[in-house]
Amino acid sequence: MYSKSEIAQAELLGSGANRYCVISPRDNSICLKIDLPFERKKTKNWRQSIQRYLSRNFNYFNENFVEWRAAKKLHKLVTHEIALEYIAPIYSLDESELGWILSTELVRNEDGTVAKSLHHHICENSTLSKQQLYKEIDKFCKFLLEYRIPLFDLNSGNMVIQQSSKGMRLYCVDIKSIARGKEIIPISYWSNRLMKKKILRRADRLKQVIKKQG
Ligand SMILES: Nc1ncnc2c1ncn2[C@@H]1O[C@H](COP(=O)(O)OP(=O)(O)O)[C@@H](O)[C@H]1O
Ligand SMILES: [Mg+2]
């Protein structure tokens, strides 16, 4: 079990609306995802306020728990080896003084540096062209559609780009949406046709974000 002081000294990788990610102080190939303190969680609307309340009070709604459930659901759809092609593996969910901690593979480039998020490549001066990024997004969507994986949260903070002498590769590092969506009635999870349409729509939206940059 990780202690508060161990986590406080760990190197920060990034943070999202609900969690922050650090390099494990015990193994630098592992990324630890930890709940942001309640007051630092971002809420843009009433939906998110309810989600924040539920996540604090019921394990079932906690973000790390949701992603852990998503990993289990993913492995009902594809083998570990197939998932590895595009999704950073999730290893364990453990209790700690800071709440639930999710351990996942830390995606690194061939030179050992940490793979940057797609968001970083879009907003900073990236050496990668827009066409290269579109191609990676298309490959990822093809993978989702081929195995009917209901992963809809295609936002640029949830993906990282790994670079090596062989080229680049997109990895998804946040698969919560496989287990939990934003729809009140989750029809996109029940109908293959709607799932496909929604994934393509989300991919298109992501490409539009890239197109508008620079
Ligand atoms: N496995 C990983 N490898 C490399 N970077 C990661 C990994 N997981 C998360 N990150 C970094 O942490 C950021 C936030 O992670 P994320 O899981 O999306 O948090 P949230 O649930 O709050 O959205 C990502 O944008 C990425 O930069
Ligand atoms: Mg995220």
Side-chain angles (χ1 to χ4, degrees):
M1 194 170 87
Y2 291 95
S3 68
K4 255 186 192 171
S5 64
E6 249 184 312
I7 298 293
Q9 284 161 29
E11 188 181 329
L12 184 71
L13 283 170
S15 61
N18 298 296
R19 298 177 296 181
Y20 63 102
C21 302
V22 299
I23 301 180
S24 164
R26 300 182 193 169
D27 180 345
N28 68 9
S29 67
I30 303 256
C31 160
L32 302 178
K33 299 192 179 197
I34 304 152
D35 271 332
L36 279 168
F38 190 61
E39 57 293 348
R40 281 183 51 206
K41 290 195 179 185
K42 296 184 192 107
T43 53
K44 284 191 269 180
N45 49 42
W46 63 270
R47 247 189 82 98
Q48 289 181 352
S49 305
I50 295 175
Q51 229 163 48
R52 187 172 75 160
Y53 169 82
L54 292 172
S55 137
R56 186 185 200 182
N57 293 287
F58 303 98
N59 275 340
Y60 188 82
F61 295 97
N62 173 274
E63 269 66 30
N64 278 333
F65 235 88
V66 173
E67 196 162 10
W68 182 244
R69 280 196 280 123
K72 295 215 168 118
K73 195 169 162 189
L74 172 70
H75 292 297
K76 284 190 183 145
L77 298 169
V78 290
T79 62
H80 181 70
E81 285 66 36
I82 291 174
L84 264 180
E85 284 181 44
Y86 290 99
I87 294 174
I90 294 177
Y91 300 129
S92 65
L93 179 70
D94 305 290
E95 256 183 307
S96 83
E97 293 171 308
L98 293 160
W100 293 102
I101 294 189
L102 192 72
S103 301
T104 74
E105 180 174 312
L106 172 53
V107 183
R108 289 188 181 269
N109 300 311
E110 195 175 51
D111 64 6
T113 54
V114 174
K116 298 261 192 252
S117 68
L118 179 58
H119 180 77
H120 173 95
H121 285 284
I122 296 173
C123 298
E124 307 293 320
N125 266 344
S126 174
T127 49
L128 306 172
S129 71
K130 290 183 180 181
Q131 294 310 322
Q132 281 176 297
L133 297 177
Y134 297 156
K135 212 169 130 192
E136 285 309 298
I137 294 168
D138 286 342
K139 283 200 299 199
F140 182 53
C141 281
K142 194 165 168 265
F143 161 78
L144 296 179
L145 297 177
E146 182 176 353
Y147 296 103
R148 297 178 181 167
I149 301 171
L151 196 159
F152 302 121
D153 196 3
L154 301 183
N155 92 53
S156 58
N158 290 343
M159 295 170 201
V160 298
I161 302 284
Q162 182 186 60
Q163 292 179 281
S164 73
S165 49
K166 284 190 224 134
M168 61 190 274
R169 197 177 186 100
L170 181 149
Y171 279 97
C172 182
V173 294
D174 181 347
I175 61 164
K176 290 193 296 289
S177 61
I178 295 180
R180 181 184 74 190
K182 289 184 178 156
E183 295 157 325
I184 294 172
I185 303 170
I187 45 172
S188 309
Y189 290 82
W190 304 332
S191 148
N192 280 330
R193 192 176 59 84
L194 294 179
M195 181 191 301
K196 182 175 175 188
K197 269 179 90 173
K198 188 163 177 171
I199 289 174
L200 293 175
R201 209 165 55 233
R202 292 295 167 90
D204 207 52
R205 204 188 285 173
L206 182 57
K207 287 190 206 162
Q208 290 302 324
V209 173
I210 298 174
K211 196 172 168 191
K212 282 189 196 129
Q213 280 298 316

